[in-house]
Amino acid sequence: MKKVVLIVVDGLTPAVYEDAIESGRASALAYLHELGTYRRALSTFPSLTPVCASSIATGAHPDVHRIPHLVWYDRGERRVIEYGSSFSAMLAAGMSRSIRNTIFHMNGRHLGAEAVTLFEALDDAGLETAAVNFTCYRGRTEHRTTLPGVTRTIRGPKRFFFYNLFESDVTGAPLSVRRRSAGSVDDYAAAVGRWLVTRDGFDFFLYYLSDYDYASHTLGPEGAAEKLADADAQIATVMDAAGGWDEFVERYAVIVCSDHGQTPVGDAVALEPAFAGLDRDIVVTASNRAGQVYRLPSCPEPARALAERLDGLRGVDVAVFLEEGAAVVRRRRDELRFSPEGDGWRVEGGAELDHPDALARIWAALHNPNAGDVLVTAEDGIEFTDLGGRHHAGGGSHGSLSLGDSEVPMLAVGIDLVPAGITEIAPAVLQHFGVEPPPYARRLVGVG
Ligand SMILES: [Zn+2]
């Protein structure tokens, strides 16, 4: 059985991937594509990296893995948790105590206890795991950070590299987070990947390239297409390290995917003004194209009333909440109510909902105990301003239920089961290794 390399290019859309293959602008990807099986697959909701990375690592939607958003309100701790637009951006901004805690806590505390990561499941099966820069890293091996004076440890994959805050092995890989526009974060990942592949030092390696998403936020999903050449070069670097591309696919099965899509945004809208008079009774956490409203114990209004306040707000696509055991979707004053029935859904109401796999993804997002009482998504072309009033208007964004934010490219080479969604990656990899997926994950059935 071949070892596995899982390559995640953050924010890569199927359209850009397919165009790059066709136009020959991405030679390493084109080589893999030729040998593999390709499909468009679905992300989870909200389609934001911490949520999606947790779905990739655990094979679960947020109802099980419990990571609700980039930014959320911890009801127990009574504080806002901000994972930041990217870890490297946070590192560049300086490592405050809260940032440090967040890096430790997403995996150490927030990630659901019932969720099983690929690293945990494969480690338990006696296989050697490795990851570079991947946000959802919980594993079985204890690692100490390279930060001076910090004694706290984390549990990660056996070989673990995280923006050189954690380095299980001395690889000589350089990192300069201050030059992100020059692609230095992925250069670091590529240097680590080259080191790992040169030694064949793993059974499963999660190779995460984050710079593409960063470029796409700035340039927009189409404008960023040129930047895929950088990610392709970094993929070529690890393939070269096997002694050649044929040798690489001889030794490794490969999955290439992204965590979510991106859509162009031209304008930003603040959700907060819709909740005038409730400043002390609710917490709004919004970022990119998804927002959440948390009711505090003092809040005089039920979730329904909070959702109705958004009815007339420009830029709001849907608001969803739970009511008497059902999920309610409000879209421009129309409503749709649904709850599970048999293998499907019992649906009432007339709101039109054309988003892919909307009911299952909304249901899972609302049943995350860390999620807000009302979840809100933005119309196409619109973004919600975050806590700092920042947005990506003029560039690209993601987070909503819409097709563009939700669709990802999915290429499988040497893996029988081609995942139809990012939650199917973990079971596909586990089944490849003959390891039983966790009970909540779908057991995939081959089509052949
Ligand atoms: Zn992003």
Side-chain angles (χ1 to χ4, degrees):
M1 172 202 325
K2 285 184 185 177
K3 301 173 170 202
V4 175
V5 178
L6 169 57
I7 303 171
V8 181
V9 182
D10 196 318
L12 176 60
T13 63
V16 168
Y17 171 92
E18 290 157 17
D19 189 56
I21 299 297
E22 246 169 66
S23 66
R25 269 186 288 117
S27 54
L29 283 172
Y31 175 87
L32 294 172
H33 187 90
E34 193 63 34
L35 298 172
T37 308
Y38 173 78
R39 67 180 299 166
R40 291 185 175 204
L42 269 189
S43 184
T44 188
F45 169 68
S47 45
L48 296 161
T49 294
V51 189
C52 301
S54 302
S55 288
I56 290 171
T58 64
H61 284 292
D63 54 337
V64 173
H65 71 53
R66 299 195 170 195
I67 304 299
H69 202 288
L70 268 172
V71 51
W72 57 282
Y73 179 71
D74 186 329
R75 295 180 176 92
E77 302 262 315
R78 292 192 212 161
R79 64 187 184 96
V80 170
I81 307 285
E82 164 78 81
Y83 296 135
S85 55
S86 70
F87 284 111
S88 40
M90 290 197 298
L91 290 177
M95 288 284 290
S96 75
R97 180 169 297 275
S98 65
I99 289 167
R100 197 179 294 171
N101 283 342
T102 300
I103 288 173
F104 285 104
H105 289 167
M106 182 184 136
N107 289 271
R109 287 190 192 168
H110 307 150
L111 190 64
E114 272 145 55
V116 181
T117 70
L118 272 169
F119 309 114
E120 291 168 327
L122 294 173
D123 282 341
D124 290 347
L127 295 158
E128 203 155 302
T129 56
V132 60
N133 290 356
F134 200 61
T135 319
C136 184
Y137 57 68
R138 200 174 68 190
R140 300 292 190 212
T141 306
E142 193 163 21
H143 297 283
R144 187 177 294 261
T145 169
T146 53
L147 287 173
V150 179
T151 52
R152 186 206 301 266
T153 58
I154 59 98
R155 288 188 177 276
K158 177 117 189 278
R159 294 190 188 272
F160 182 49
F161 306 86
F162 193 81
Y163 299 103
N164 75 12
L165 285 177
F166 294 94
E167 291 187 311
S168 59
D169 302 87
V170 178
T171 65
L175 180 69
S176 165
V177 290
R178 288 174 201 285
R179 289 195 316 113
R180 175 135 205 193
S181 57
S184 56
V185 170
D186 286 353
D187 287 345
Y188 170 77
V192 168
R194 180 173 53 212
W195 187 90
L196 283 166
V197 169
T198 302
R199 278 152 194 78
D200 194 18
F202 56 86
D203 294 297
F204 171 74
F205 171 37
L206 203 163
Y207 183 35
Y208 173 61
L209 299 172
S210 62
D211 283 339
Y212 186 83
D213 187 67
Y214 182 85
S216 185
H217 277 298
T218 311
L219 306 168
E222 282 177 28
E226 296 280 305
K227 292 281 179 187
L228 187 57
D230 296 343
D232 191 71
Q234 280 127 2
I235 293 167
T237 297
V238 299
M239 289 167 65
D240 290 339
W245 295 3
D246 293 345
E247 287 79 1
F248 184 78
V249 293
E250 191 59 41
R251 203 195 290 168
Y252 305 114
V254 185
I255 295 176
V256 182
C257 65
S258 68
D259 52 345
H260 53 70
Q262 275 225 17
T263 47
V265 287
D267 203 359
V269 168
L271 290 175
E272 287 82 354
F275 303 102
L278 293 178
D279 307 12
R280 291 158 181 274
D281 304 311
I282 60 158
V283 176
V284 176
T285 68
S287 178
N288 288 269
R289 290 173 27 78
Q292 308 187 89
V293 187
Y294 291 82
R295 296 178 67 246
L296 300 181
S298 66
C299 185
E301 297 187 13
R304 160 173 293 280
L306 298 178
E308 287 173 357
R309 278 173 177 254
L310 297 166
D311 278 350
L313 193 71
R314 187 178 69 88
V316 170
D317 183 19
V318 297
V320 300
F321 58 94
L322 292 173
E323 189 178 63
E324 293 162 7
V328 180
V329 181
R330 254 186 110 72
R331 196 178 195 201
R332 298 179 202 98
R333 295 187 175 81
D334 289 334
E335 267 192 25
L336 188 141
R337 247 183 123 74
F338 68 96
S339 51
E341 189 177 64
D343 286 342
W345 304 98
R346 177 193 158 81
V347 183
E348 302 163 74
E352 205 180 308
L353 206 57
D354 44 10
H355 314 72
D357 202 19
L359 303 189
R361 292 196 297 151
I362 290 170
W363 187 263
L366 284 171
H367 285 82
N368 176 353
N370 293 326
D373 296 282
V374 180
L375 307 183
V376 193
T377 73
E379 279 183 337
D380 285 350
I382 303 289
E383 193 175 58
F384 298 136
T385 51
D386 69 13
L387 295 175
R390 290 156 304 184
H391 55 78
H392 304 99
S397 188
H398 51 92
S400 83
L401 286 163
S402 78
L403 186 69
D405 289 1
S406 305
E407 238 185 358
V408 300
M410 184 71 69
L411 174 71
V413 187
I415 297 243
D416 296 338
L417 304 161
V418 187
I422 62 170
T423 54
E424 293 189 358
I425 295 170
V429 170
L430 292 174
Q431 286 181 233
H432 171 85
F433 284 114
V435 177
E436 187 66 27
Y440 58 77
R442 233 178 96 207
R443 192 158 221 299
L444 303 180
V445 182
V447 277

